[in-house]
Amino acid sequence: MRFSQTFLDELFARTSITAVVGRRVSWDKRKSNPARGDRWACCPFHGENSPSFHVEEAKGRFYCFGCQEKGNAIDFVMKMDRLSFPEAVEALSAEAGLQ
């Protein structure tokens, strides 16, 4: 199954990476700056005690300074739920109201 770049762009425009990631992590209130779309948490991909997992809403991406995992909302859903690319796109587009 192929998705056009236009469709993927619309999906990213309608999907908040902060909301997608926020269902799986607890944001660090001291290090995060929600007004700027800048959030920090302990990484869901490896065990750690201090937040090194960074999410930038404006850029629609995440990066862990500990384990170097990175990507966008689709990548996050693929890694966390062990889904294929088409399955992750389908899950996110259902949430975003896209056919």
Side-chain angles (χ1 to χ4, degrees):
M1 181 182 284
R2 279 190 54 90
F3 300 98
S4 71
Q5 190 59 48
T6 305
F7 178 82
L8 293 175
D9 290 343
E10 180 66 21
L11 177 60
F12 287 127
R14 292 188 186 194
T15 303
S16 164
I17 190 164
T18 303
V20 171
V21 174
R23 293 190 287 256
R24 303 295 182 94
V25 302
S26 296
W27 299 119
D28 181 89
K29 290 180 173 52
R30 290 175 302 185
K31 202 169 180 183
S32 296
N33 187 342
R36 287 188 20 220
D38 183 56
R39 304 282 186 131
W40 291 85
C42 290
C43 182
F45 302 113
H46 76 281
E48 63 182 359
N49 296 323
S50 61
S52 67
F53 186 78
H54 184 227
V55 174
E56 293 177 279
E57 183 67 40
K59 295 182 180 178
R61 67 181 180 196
F62 68 87
Y63 181 76
C64 177
F65 290 91
C67 68
Q68 283 75 51
E69 283 286 349
K70 63 184 175 201
N72 56 39
I74 295 171
D75 298 319
F76 186 82
V77 171
M78 286 172 58
K79 291 172 186 174
M80 288 300 293
D81 297 337
R82 294 187 172 106
L83 298 176
S84 67
F85 180 79
E87 291 169 329
V89 169
E90 192 174 300
L92 287 174
S93 41
E95 287 179 29
L98 291 171
Q99 296 272 345

